[in-house]
Amino acid sequence: MKITKYPAKEDYAKLMSRPAKDAGELNAIVCGVLNDIRKRGDEAVREYEERFDKVALTELQVSETEMAEAETLISQELKDALEHAHRNIEAFHRAQQFEGVTLEVQAGVTCSQKSVAIERVGLYIPGGTAPLFSTVLMLATPAKIAGCKEIVLCTPPAKDGSVNPAILMAARIAGVSKIFKIGGVQAIGAMAYGTESVPKVYKIFGPGNQYVMCAKQNVSLHDVAIDMPAGPSEVCVLADETSNETFVAADLLSQAEHGIDSQVILITNSEAFAEKVEQEVERQLNVLPRMEIARKALENSHLIVVKDYEEMMMLSNMYAPEHLIIETQNYHELALQVTNAGSVFMGSYTPESAGDYASGTNHTLPTSGYATAYSGVNLDSFVRKITFQEITAEGVKGIAHTVELMAENELLDAHCNAMRVRRLSVEC
Amino acid sequence: MKITKYPAKEDYAKLMSRPAKDAGELNAIVCGVLNDIRKRGDEAVREYEERFDKVALTELQVSETEMAEAETLISQELKDALEHAHRNIEAFHRAQQFEGVTLEVQAGVTCSQKSVAIERVGLYIPGGTAPLFSTVLMLATPAKIAGCKEIVLCTPPAKDGSVNPAILMAARIAGVSKIFKIGGVQAIGAMAYGTESVPKVYKIFGPGNQYVMCAKQNVSLHDVAIDMPAGPSEVCVLADETSNETFVAADLLSQAEHGIDSQVILITNSEAFAEKVEQEVERQLNVLPRMEIARKALENSHLIVVKDYEEMMMLSNMYAPEHLIIETQNYHELALQVTNAGSVFMGSYTPESAGDYASGTNHTLPTSGYATAYSGVNLDSFVRKITFQEITAEGVKGIAHTVELMAENELLDAHCNAMRVRRLSVEC
C-alpha cells in the first residue's frame, strides 16, 4: 500500500478519486439481451441460461421439493447463524417503521402521509465465487416487514441446475415468495418486463457484476425502479495512534478481498501508525486464501497521513465512503461530523463484517461516492409515502383565494376554476 | 371524451395504458449538449443560452439588485398568497421530520439510523408558457427544512435576460441560495458537472420538457441523483351518482389544460353520471383560455363506467395515477384501499389544484405509472438515512460466532478474520 503524507487541500479531490470505468461497449450487449427477453420471454431466458450459465433448464422456478431438500443440506450451525442474523436485521428494520403523519395545516385543511408497500419487488442475488446468502437476508427481510405482497428472487444456478442451499434457506427464513434459477442480464430483464414464469416487479434490488448493473440502469430508464446505481465495494478507516493496527489491517483486508477493483483507504493523523498498519497488512495478507485478489485491490488503495482530525473528516466526507470505520479515540465525536457515508462502524470492536452479516444494519449501500445523494437500502426502500388531503367547506373558504390567485398568475385558468366552483358553492 | 362502459377485466391493462413515446433520436442531441457543458463549462452554457433562449448573458447568476427589484414588481396580494402557500407547505413537510432510531438489537450491539441532509441540491424550474413559481416553493421549502447547505436553482431567462419576478420572489421566500439564468439541457449539465459559475450538486429536482427529462436521466446514470423519472401529468377521478358533475368536470379540465399529452380519467359506477360529466366538460371547455390544449388532451382520455366500487379501485390501482381524486360518497373507505397513487384528494371540496398550490402536500409526483415504485417529493427526498453501529466487548462475544460462520460459508476469510481478531482480543 502507498502511504501519502500530508497532502495539500487542492490535491484532495484527485487523491480520493475512484478508478474510472468505460461502460460504452457493454451497453450494446446488455440492451440486446434485454430486448430479446422483452420480446420472447421464457424461451429467451432459457437460451441465455444455456449460453451463459451452461445449464439446460426445463423448470425455471425452484420447486417445493428443492426447498425442502436445501434444508437438509445445510448444517444446523449455519441455520442457527442465519436465524440469528435474521433476528437482528428484522429488529432494526422493524424499528424503522413509519407510523404516518397527519396535520391540520390550517382550519379545515388536513394533510397526511402514509407508508404503503411496493406490491411486487425483485431481488437479484449473484452467483460466482461466493454464495451471497447474506444479501438474501438483507433484501428480503425489509421487503417482508414493509408488506410487499410478492417478493421474487432470481439467482444463477450451478451447471447441474441446482441453487446453493444456503441461499434457499435464507430465502425461506426471510419470506421470499418465488425463486427463479436465472442469472445476469436475463434475470434483470425477466423481472423488469415479466415473462410467462416470472412476475413483472416494480422495483429491483441487489448487487451484481458490471453487466447486471448496466442492465439495472437500462431498465430503470423506463420500466422499473432500482435500489441505486452501484460500483465496486469500498471502505474508509479513520484511525489515530491509539488504534489497534491488527484490527485496522484486518478491516482494510476484509474489503480488499471482495474484488480486484475494491478500494480501501486509511486516513490517520499518525505517521507511525500508518507505518505499523502497512507492515501488519503485509503480514495478514500472506495467509489469506484470497491473497491475490486482495493484493490487486491494495494497488488502488491509500494510507493517508493528515495533520489533524478536522482534515480527516474533511477528506472522508469528500470521499463519501460506502463503509466508514472510525477507530479513533474520539470516535463518538467524529461520528457526529459524518455528512457523507453509507454505514458507519464506531469504535475498536465494530468491524465492517459485523454489519455485512448480522449487526442489524443493511449491507446494500451506496458506493462510488453515491452516498452524497443516496441512502443505503432500508425499510423506506420498499414503500412509497403517499400523501392524502381533505378540505372541508370551512377549509375552502380559507384557502380558495390563495389557490385561485396563484393559478391565475401561472396562467392556468382551469386550475383556478376547479377551486372557484367549490368556493362559489360554499359561499351560497 | 369517450365513454367506455363495463370493460372486461382482461381489457383493463390496455384501457389504462399511456400513450407510448419514442425517445431514441432525442438522446443523441441531449448527450451532445451535456458533453459540451462538461468540457467547456460556462462558455458552452452561454452559447446554448444564446442559441436556445435567444439571450446573450454576461452574468449567469441573478444579482441581489435583480432580487430586490423583483420584490417591487409583484403585487402585495400575490406575495401574500406565496407566503400563505409557503406556510402550509412548510408546516406539512416539517411534520415529516425523522427523529432517528436507535436500537440495541442484542446486548452490546447498538444500531442507529440518522437523517442527514444532502449538502448541495439543484432545482430546475422550466420557463415556457406558464411561470411555475409554485414549483419553486414545492422544491426549495423541503430542501431548506432538511438542512441542505446549498440550494441552487436554474431557470431559463426571457429574451431580455430577465427572470419572472414571481419565481424570484418564491425563491427568496423558500430560501434558495443561488439562482442562475440557465434553461434546458444546459441547466441540467451545469448542475450535474459544475461550471465556473454553477456549483456541482448531488441531486437534481424538478419538471421540464422531454429534453430536460432526457438530460436528467442521462446525468443520473453516473454523476448525480434525480428526484424521479417523469412523463406527462395525469389525474384519475373516482365518482358515483352522489358526486357533483360541475366539480368533477372542472377537475378533469384542470389536468387537461396542462398539455396536449396530459391524461385525464374518470371512473364511475353510474352511467347517468358519466353522461352528465361528458356534457359538463363540453360546457366548461368552451370558456377556457387553454381550450385547444385541453381539447387535445381529452382525446387521450377516458370516462369509464364500471360495475362497483371494487372494480373502481382495482382499475385505479392498476393505473397508479399521479393525482387521484375520490369524490364518491364513501371516499374515506376507498382512500384506505389506495395502493398505487402519487397524491390523493378526498371528498367534494378537495380539488387537485389545492394540492398543486397550497394545501401543504407536494405537487412533484410520480407520473406514467411510476407511483407503483416511487414516492412523490417529500422531506426524505432531501436527506440520506445513514446507519451507525457500535459493538462492545460483550457484543463481540454475542455476535462473533454468527459473523465468522457466515463469512466462512461465503468464502470470505478476511471478513471472518476482522471479527476473529476482535473476539480473540476480548476472550483473553
Side-chain angles (χ1 to χ4, degrees):
Chain A
M1 289 189 84
K2 288 170 288 229
I3 300 189
T4 306
K5 291 181 188 169
Y6 310 112
K9 288 226 169 44
E10 52 274 26
D11 296 333
Y12 277 13
K14 197 174 163 214
L15 184 62
M16 302 313 265
S17 69
R18 281 129 173 126
K21 288 264 157 189
D22 181 23
E25 75 278 32
L26 204 76
N27 204 48
I29 300 171
V30 167
C31 288
V33 177
L34 287 177
N35 282 333
D36 206 16
I37 301 289
R38 189 202 285 264
K39 279 190 211 132
R40 300 196 295 124
D42 281 350
E43 191 189 346
V45 169
R46 280 201 192 84
E47 285 173 21
Y48 287 111
E49 276 308 311
E50 198 151 354
R51 193 183 315 168
F52 297 131
D53 290 329
K54 312 290 174 208
V55 53
L57 298 166
T58 40
E59 194 54 63
L60 294 173
Q61 191 175 346
V62 171
S63 68
E64 231 351 275
T65 317
E66 290 172 289
M67 290 299 284
E69 199 188 16
E71 215 165 328
T72 67
L73 289 175
I74 72 164
S75 67
Q76 186 59 43
E77 203 186 13
L78 181 57
K79 209 183 295 180
D80 291 345
L82 290 173
E83 273 162 2
H84 179 189
H86 178 253
R87 261 196 317 279
N88 287 357
I89 297 163
E90 189 178 36
F92 184 56
H93 286 77
R94 202 174 278 286
Q96 295 166 23
Q97 262 169 332
F98 173 67
E99 294 305 324
V101 163
T102 298
L103 183 73
E104 188 170 10
V105 293
Q106 68 178 74
V109 179
T110 302
C111 298
S112 63
Q113 196 194 27
K114 192 173 91 172
S115 177
V116 180
I118 298 175
E119 286 180 288
R120 296 200 294 265
V121 297
L123 317 180
Y124 183 70
I125 305 296
T129 48
L132 297 181
F133 50 80
S134 59
T135 305
V136 178
L137 297 182
M138 292 293 172
L139 299 177
T141 307
K144 193 74 188 173
I145 295 169
C148 300
K149 278 196 202 131
E150 189 144 48
I151 305 170
V152 174
L153 186 153
C154 285
T155 191
K159 288 199 185 91
D160 66 357
S162 70
V163 173
N164 184 292
I167 286 182
L168 298 184
M169 192 67 218
R172 166 153 290 179
I173 290 171
V176 170
S177 323
K178 286 179 180 164
I179 306 171
F180 295 93
K181 301 173 183 177
I182 312 178
V185 178
Q186 59 271 29
I188 303 303
M191 293 192 284
Y193 310 132
T195 69
E196 298 87 333
S197 307
V198 183
K200 181 205 168 1
V201 303
Y202 297 135
K203 189 168 184 180
I204 296 177
F205 296 78
N209 61 21
Q210 52 182 342
Y211 290 90
V212 168
M213 290 304 162
C214 179
K216 279 174 69 184
Q217 289 207 315
N218 267 290
V219 298
S220 79
L221 292 176
H222 300 291
D223 302 289
V224 67
I226 62 171
D227 46 1
M228 68 190 90
S233 197
E234 61 202 23
V235 73
C236 176
V237 178
L238 309 184
D240 58 20
E241 76 288 353
T242 71
S243 307
N244 179 318
E245 68 271 19
T246 305
F247 296 176
V248 169
D251 292 336
L252 297 175
L253 286 168
S254 77
Q255 193 56 51
E257 76 170 344
H258 260 302
I260 57 169
D261 52 2
S262 293
Q263 204 178 17
V264 309
I265 285 174
L266 169 70
I267 310 178
T268 177
N269 55 1
S270 160
E271 285 194 39
F273 187 75
E275 281 153 20
K276 280 198 274 181
V277 170
E278 192 185 22
Q279 288 160 25
E280 181 65 18
V281 163
E282 204 50 46
R283 200 184 63 74
Q284 290 187 20
L285 182 60
N286 288 320
V287 298
L288 276 188
R290 292 167 73 99
M291 175 175 73
E292 285 315 315
I293 292 175
R295 195 179 288 285
K296 277 259 166 52
L298 292 178
E299 287 169 14
N300 309 321
S301 300
H302 302 281
L303 305 177
I304 302 172
V305 183
V306 294
K307 209 168 77 245
D308 51 26
Y309 293 111
E310 196 188 328
E311 286 193 1
M312 210 183 267
M313 286 314 301
M314 194 187 297
L315 209 48
S316 171
N317 282 326
M318 177 182 282
Y319 184 61
E322 181 191 12
H323 305 96
L324 174 62
I325 315 184
I326 312 183
E327 307 191 41
T328 60
Q329 201 167 16
N330 59 349
Y331 64 90
H332 276 133
E333 200 183 303
L334 296 192
L336 292 174
Q337 298 167 37
V338 173
T339 55
N340 296 320
S343 191
V344 182
F345 300 79
M346 302 194 292
S348 293
Y349 290 138
T350 318
E352 184 204 310
S353 47
D356 287 339
Y357 292 109
S359 69
T361 61
N362 211 289
H363 79 196
T364 306
L365 297 167
T367 54
S368 303
Y370 292 119
T372 51
Y374 291 88
S375 306
V377 164
N378 62 81
L379 195 63
D380 284 350
S381 314
F382 297 90
V383 303
R384 280 96 11 98
K385 292 190 173 169
I386 302 180
T387 53
F388 294 80
Q389 53 239 287
E390 182 171 2
I391 304 181
T392 63
E394 185 195 6
V396 168
K397 289 180 192 163
I399 204 171
H401 180 69
T402 288
V403 171
E404 289 175 47
L405 192 73
M406 288 176 75
E408 264 170 32
N409 275 277
E410 285 194 353
L411 312 178
L412 294 171
D413 239 69
H415 281 64
C416 178
N417 191 52
M419 193 76 242
R420 188 192 299 127
V421 292
R422 268 94 173 177
R423 177 174 54 79
L424 294 175
S425 130
V426 301
E427 281 175 1
C428 295
Chain B
M1 290 189 82
K2 290 167 289 224
I3 300 188
T4 306
K5 291 181 188 168
Y6 310 111
K9 288 225 169 44
E10 52 275 27
D11 297 333
Y12 277 12
K14 200 177 161 210
L15 184 62
M16 303 313 264
S17 70
R18 279 124 174 135
K21 288 263 156 190
D22 182 22
E25 74 279 32
L26 205 74
N27 204 49
I29 301 170
V30 167
C31 289
V33 177
L34 288 177
N35 282 334
D36 207 15
I37 301 288
R38 188 202 285 264
K39 279 191 212 132
R40 298 196 298 122
D42 280 350
E43 191 191 346
V45 168
R46 281 202 193 82
E47 284 173 23
Y48 287 111
E49 276 309 310
E50 199 152 353
R51 193 183 315 169
F52 297 131
D53 290 330
K54 312 288 176 210
V55 55
L57 298 167
T58 40
E59 195 52 64
L60 294 173
Q61 191 175 345
V62 172
S63 68
E64 232 349 276
T65 319
E66 289 172 289
M67 291 300 284
E69 199 187 17
E71 215 165 329
T72 68
L73 289 174
I74 73 164
S75 68
Q76 187 59 43
E77 203 185 13
L78 182 56
K79 209 182 295 180
D80 292 345
L82 290 174
E83 273 162 2
H84 180 189
H86 178 252
R87 260 196 318 280
N88 287 356
I89 296 163
E90 190 178 34
F92 185 54
H93 285 78
R94 203 175 278 286
Q96 295 166 24
Q97 263 170 331
F98 173 67
E99 295 306 323
V101 163
T102 299
L103 182 74
E104 188 170 10
V105 294
Q106 68 177 74
V109 179
T110 302
C111 297
S112 63
Q113 196 193 27
K114 192 173 91 171
S115 178
V116 180
I118 297 175
E119 286 181 287
R120 296 201 295 265
V121 296
L123 317 181
Y124 183 71
I125 304 295
T129 49
L132 297 181
F133 51 80
S134 60
T135 305
V136 179
L137 297 181
M138 292 293 173
L139 299 177
T141 308
K144 193 75 189 172
I145 296 169
C148 301
K149 278 196 202 130
E150 190 145 46
I151 305 170
V152 174
L153 186 153
C154 284
T155 190
K159 289 199 185 89
D160 66 357
S162 70
V163 173
N164 184 292
I167 286 181
L168 297 184
M169 191 67 219
R172 166 152 290 180
I173 290 171
V176 170
S177 326
K178 288 181 178 160
I179 306 173
F180 295 92
K181 300 172 182 178
I182 312 176
V185 178
Q186 59 271 30
I188 303 303
M191 294 192 283
Y193 311 132
T195 70
E196 298 86 335
S197 308
V198 183
K200 178 203 169 9
V201 303
Y202 297 136
K203 189 169 182 179
I204 296 177
F205 296 80
N209 61 21
Q210 52 182 342
Y211 290 91
V212 169
M213 290 304 161
C214 180
K216 279 175 67 182
Q217 289 206 314
N218 267 290
V219 297
S220 79
L221 291 177
H222 300 290
D223 301 290
V224 67
I226 62 170
D227 47 359
M228 69 190 89
S233 197
E234 59 200 25
V235 71
C236 176
V237 179
L238 308 184
D240 58 21
E241 76 288 352
T242 71
S243 308
N244 179 319
E245 67 271 20
T246 306
F247 296 176
V248 168
D251 292 337
L252 297 175
L253 286 168
S254 76
Q255 193 55 52
E257 76 170 344
H258 261 299
I260 57 169
D261 53 2
S262 293
Q263 204 177 19
V264 310
I265 285 173
L266 170 71
I267 310 176
T268 177
N269 55 2
S270 159
E271 284 194 39
F273 186 75
E275 281 153 20
K276 280 198 275 181
V277 169
E278 191 184 23
Q279 288 160 25
E280 181 65 18
V281 163
E282 203 51 45
R283 200 183 63 75
Q284 292 187 19
L285 182 60
N286 288 320
V287 298
L288 277 188
R290 294 168 72 100
M291 174 176 72
E292 285 315 316
I293 292 175
R295 194 179 289 286
K296 277 261 167 53
L298 292 178
E299 287 169 13
N300 310 320
S301 299
H302 302 281
L303 304 175
I304 302 171
V305 182
V306 296
K307 210 168 76 247
D308 53 25
Y309 294 110
E310 195 188 328
E311 286 192 0
M312 210 183 268
M313 286 314 303
M314 194 186 297
L315 210 47
S316 171
N317 282 326
M318 178 182 282
Y319 183 61
E322 179 190 11
H323 304 97
L324 174 63
I325 315 183
I326 312 182
E327 307 191 42
T328 60
Q329 201 165 17
N330 58 348
Y331 64 90
H332 276 135
E333 199 183 303
L334 295 193
L336 292 174
Q337 296 167 38
V338 173
T339 54
N340 296 320
S343 191
V344 183
F345 301 78
M346 302 193 291
S348 292
Y349 290 137
T350 318
E352 185 203 309
S353 46
D356 287 339
Y357 292 108
S359 69
T361 61
N362 211 289
H363 78 196
T364 306
L365 296 168
T367 54
S368 303
Y370 292 119
T372 50
Y374 291 86
S375 306
V377 164
N378 62 81
L379 195 63
D380 284 350
S381 313
F382 297 90
V383 302
R384 282 91 18 94
K385 292 191 173 167
I386 302 180
T387 52
F388 294 80
Q389 53 239 287
E390 181 173 0
I391 304 180
T392 63
E394 186 196 6
V396 168
K397 288 180 191 162
I399 204 172
H401 181 68
T402 288
V403 171
E404 291 175 45
L405 190 74
M406 287 176 76
E408 266 170 28
N409 275 277
E410 285 195 353
L411 313 178
L412 294 171
D413 239 69
H415 282 63
C416 178
N417 191 53
M419 194 75 243
R420 188 192 299 126
V421 291
R422 268 94 173 176
R423 177 174 55 78
L424 294 176
S425 130
V426 301
E427 281 176 0
C428 296

